[in-house]
Amino acid sequence: MPELKQLRAGHAPAVLAFELANRAYFAAAVSDRGDDFFDRFTDRFDALLAEQEAGICAFHVLVAEDGSVLGRFNLYDFEDGGAVLGYRVAQHATGRGTATATVLELCDLAAARYGLRTLRAATAHENIASRKVLVKAGFVPVGPADPAELGGKPGTWFQRDLT
């Protein structure tokens, strides 16, 4: 049974493998991270851990029984009891409710562990799967998203109140 875990240093090899294995799949729906992301992965990963340690973000991985990463589920830009949700799920794990179940679990964690009251998430109009996940997880559309935030694609901000 997959388990949602807070990101830690030991996850680095599995996260890199996840990102590399799904790079083309992710690039079809969201902007590609670029070669620099992979070339400087260790530095970027360490920076994420430092942000998490500072309490301004909370990063999580969905880990399969074999230790591989099935998804990344992140809360960032903590401010005034709210945060932004971002997630990505491995191509081979899609279409089974994995993203929806994990987003729901993260919503519970956001309230209980991090004391958050509101989550927001942006998705491109063409990313129908992500839009469905957010709606199933209780998010409602609240306005347009800046295409610059979505790799140049038009989209919508969604929000869920956790209280």
Side-chain angles (χ1 to χ4, degrees), residues 22-44:
N22 292 282
R23 184 176 182 180
Y25 171 67
F26 294 146
V30 295
S31 55
D32 183 58
R33 292 193 185 277
D35 292 337
D36 188 57
F37 173 85
F38 297 98
D39 293 343
R40 299 185 54 223
F41 179 80
T42 300
D43 293 338
R44 177 69 183 127

Side-chain angles (χ1 to χ4, degrees), residues 84 100 129 140:
V84 177
T100 302
V140 295

Side-chain angles (χ1 to χ4, degrees), residues 74-159:
N74 302 317
L75 301 171
Y76 58 96
D77 293 344
F78 286 21
E79 186 177 336
D80 297 327
V84 177
L85 164 69
Y87 60 91
R88 49 181 55 203
V89 176
Q91 183 175 13
H92 73 275
T94 61
R96 298 183 231 163
T98 301
T100 302
T102 309
V103 166
L104 286 166
E105 183 179 351
L106 190 57
C107 287
D108 291 342
L109 274 175
R113 183 181 297 170
Y114 307 115
L116 297 172
R117 297 182 307 276
T118 305
L119 293 181
R120 292 172 31 100
T123 186
H125 294 299
E126 63 190 41
N127 192 343
I128 295 168
S130 188
R131 294 170 63 86
K132 286 181 180 179
V133 166
L134 292 173
V135 170
K136 287 179 184 179
F139 286 74
V140 295
V142 293
D146 183 346
E149 298 171 321
L150 298 170
K153 300 172 185 177
T156 302
W157 276 103
F158 288 79
Q159 182 170 308

Side-chain angles (χ1 to χ4, degrees), residues 44 46-59 76-77:
R44 177 69 183 127
D46 291 345
L48 293 176
L49 292 175
E51 289 177 21
Q52 182 169 265
E53 183 68 29
I56 57 174
C57 302
F59 303 107
Y76 58 96
D77 293 344

Side-chain angles (χ1 to χ4, degrees), residues 6-20:
Q6 190 165 27
L7 188 68
R8 57 179 175 73
H11 290 128
V15 169
L16 179 57
F18 163 82
E19 292 288 350
L20 286 168

